[in-house]
Amino acid sequence: MIRKTISILISLLLIILNFNLVAEASTFSVSAKSAILINADTLEVLYNKAEHEKRGIASTTKILTSLIALEYGVPQKEITATKEAVTVEGTSIGLKAGDKITLMSLVYGMLLESGNDAANVTAFAISGNITEFAKVMNAFAKKIGMTNSNFTNPSGLTDKNHYSTAFDMALLTSVAIKNPIFRKIASTESAVIDFGVPEISRSLTNHNRLLRGYDGVFGVKTGYTKASGRCLVTACEKNGVTLIAVTLNAYDDWNDHKKLYDYGFSLYDKKVDVPEIKNLKIPVVCSDKKTVSVDFAYEVEFNTNKDLKSEIFIKNYLYPPVKKGDIVGEIVYKDTENNAIKIIPLVSVDNANALYKENEKENDILGKIKKFIKGLSIRYG
């Protein structure tokens, strides 16, 4: 009787545990065929589902096209659209053969309105044709570590040889959002660009609904084709932590991303301790000031899901002129495995000028001194 009772209790306990596990797992389930959530700074994977499976990525392709345009091109350069370039199916910003438009406006056209014509004109401007631009795309992708991707066109039109993975797209986005122009454009809800002959103004609206629907989201790109399904890449920042979410072939992508961010940010509940540096000073050689004070380059406030230690590195000496805001060192936050998680620059609070104008002999002596101790640093922590 006792054995039977224990057996029943164990069975009930297993049922309860199984129910709780299923309930917990369902909290983080997403509709996407492939998905990933990563920390943009550390590339730590917080959630994954078939993240290395090769899939069509539709217009999220334009993340790469836009980044190449900004990295390899001149944003303010004016480009003349050709008939060959603007003859493309799908979404359009209305470019016609002979229209003049800047590369910057083309990037707005790609990231906000997802213009395939803007992507094509960009490709022709950078490489002369689609085939050559695809080579640039693949070379760039390989350089940053996208090992399971291949690109055949700049816009994401369906092609069996045009594909990527959730992981690779998250990796690409972590690189893209470090470009300040890309980040600014991807986070813009609406804009007006001018192009054409004669010039006209065109209003653009960002298709990314989460810019207005989830606090902290600042990009990045939507995408859809019948073959690829709904694709979405977003980035979100809260409390100094930036996360990137990617869903491929998802029928409920907006809610998928909200769930991912709710889960991801819940992991970052440790506020980082900021070391005291208000009394930190660096000597200045042959200057009207013996020392300059040091401060953070920007306000330091971020959360983490790891135990971190901080180390301060500053220069032993400085040489005039020293300007307020000059970088004079850094704080490095490391995890328990000694991996650098975050680096924050330290800057001079003060200006420091030379006591006198150096003559050639003095300059030579100072030059030797500088050469001897250049690069030396003091380590704290």
Side-chain angles (χ1 to χ4, degrees):
M1 181 69 179
I2 294 174
R3 187 176 296 174
K4 185 177 180 181
T5 303
I6 292 173
S7 178
I8 293 171
L9 288 172
I10 290 173
S11 297
L12 287 171
L13 180 61
L14 288 173
I15 290 170
I16 292 169
L17 285 172
N18 185 59
F19 175 80
N20 287 336
L21 287 172
V22 171
E24 185 177 357
S26 67
T27 303
F28 309 122
S29 66
V30 293
S31 71
K33 299 289 186 182
S34 293
I36 195 169
L37 178 71
I38 69 167
N39 181 305
D41 295 317
T42 67
L43 303 184
E44 179 184 9
V45 177
L46 306 175
Y47 178 94
N48 58 295
K49 177 182 178 182
E51 74 277 20
H52 295 298
E53 190 169 323
K54 296 175 182 177
R55 295 186 177 279
I57 55 171
S59 283
T60 59
T61 298
K62 296 184 180 89
I63 296 171
L64 179 55
T65 303
S66 296
L67 183 58
I68 290 173
L70 296 173
E71 296 281 346
Y72 294 172
V74 179
Q76 299 305 330
K77 181 180 179 180
E78 193 171 66
I79 296 153
T80 301
T82 64
K83 183 177 180 181
E84 186 179 8
V86 298
T87 304
V88 58
E89 61 182 288
T91 52
S92 167
I93 63 170
L95 284 167
K96 297 177 182 178
D99 282 351
K100 296 185 182 299
I101 185 170
T102 64
L103 195 58
M104 180 83 83
S105 292
L106 288 172
V107 175
Y108 272 97
M110 286 187 282
L111 293 181
L112 272 67
E113 286 284 354
S114 201
N116 290 348
D117 53 351
N120 264 24
V121 172
T122 298
F124 274 80
I126 299 294
S127 301
N129 59 61
I130 300 300
T131 302
E132 290 302 312
F133 187 73
K135 292 179 182 178
V136 175
M137 296 174 79
N138 288 314
F140 191 100
K142 183 179 180 180
K143 182 176 73 173
I144 66 173
M146 297 174 70
T147 57
N148 290 307
S149 301
N150 191 68
F151 301 91
T152 62
N153 64 78
S155 58
L157 291 175
T158 301
D159 182 327
K160 66 179 182 179
N161 293 317
H162 187 102
Y163 56 81
S164 187
T165 67
F167 178 87
D168 279 7
M169 292 304 293
L171 181 62
L172 169 63
T173 303
S174 72
V175 175
I177 61 175
K178 288 181 174 64
N179 183 300
I181 300 176
F182 179 96
R183 179 164 174 155
K184 177 185 176 183
I185 296 174
S187 63
T188 301
E189 292 188 27
S190 62
V192 176
I193 60 173
D194 301 318
F195 64 85
V197 179
E199 190 172 81
I200 61 169
S201 295
R202 168 76 192 269
S203 296
L204 308 177
T205 302
N206 201 316
H207 295 177
N208 185 356
R209 227 189 283 171
L210 289 186
L211 290 175
R212 300 167 289 278
Y214 194 95
D215 184 40
V217 168
F218 62 87
V220 177
K221 188 70 189 76
T222 61
Y224 172 79
T225 64
K226 188 175 181 180
S228 300
R230 294 179 62 85
C231 301
L232 181 61
V233 179
T234 62
C236 186
E237 183 177 13
K238 288 185 179 181
N239 298 322
V241 176
T242 301
L243 303 182
I244 294 169
V246 179
T247 52
L248 303 178
N249 197 347
Y251 61 82
D252 194 19
D253 50 1
W254 305 118
N255 285 322
D256 283 353
H257 283 237
K258 289 178 181 179
K259 289 178 185 178
L260 288 169
Y261 286 134
D262 284 346
Y263 166 65
F265 285 113
S266 73
L267 301 177
Y268 290 82
D269 56 357
K270 296 178 182 177
K271 191 168 184 178
V272 172
D273 292 327
V274 180
E276 180 60 64
I277 63 168
K278 66 180 180 180
N279 296 319
L280 198 58
K281 297 180 183 295
I282 303 177
V284 186
V285 177
C286 299
S287 169
D288 59 352
K289 286 193 175 180
K290 291 183 178 180
T291 62
V292 292
S293 298
V294 175
D295 200 358
F296 301 106
Y298 49 82
E299 185 178 351
V300 181
E301 185 177 348
F302 68 98
N303 289 22
T304 181
N305 64 342
K306 295 184 176 183
D307 293 320
L308 300 183
K309 60 181 179 180
S310 64
E311 292 180 315
I312 301 175
F313 298 89
I314 60 171
K315 295 183 178 180
N316 274 336
Y317 300 94
L318 297 173
Y319 299 93
V322 178
K323 296 180 181 178
K324 182 179 180 180
D326 283 353
I327 295 176
V328 295
E330 61 187 22
I331 291 182
V332 180
Y333 285 94
K334 295 182 179 181
D335 62 17
T336 53
E337 296 177 352
N338 217 36
N339 298 311
I341 300 300
K342 197 174 186 71
I343 298 175
I344 300 166
L346 296 174
V347 297
S348 171
V349 175
D350 309 303
N351 294 314
N353 301 307
L355 279 175
Y356 51 84
K357 186 176 181 180
E358 300 172 0
N359 59 37
E360 290 184 6
K361 186 176 180 180
E362 291 163 343
N363 194 38
D364 182 56
I365 293 171
L366 277 176
K368 288 179 180 180
I369 296 173
K370 291 179 183 179
K371 186 176 181 180
F372 178 71
I373 62 176
K374 184 179 180 181
L376 294 179
S377 62
I378 302 173
R379 172 178 166 178
Y380 294 86

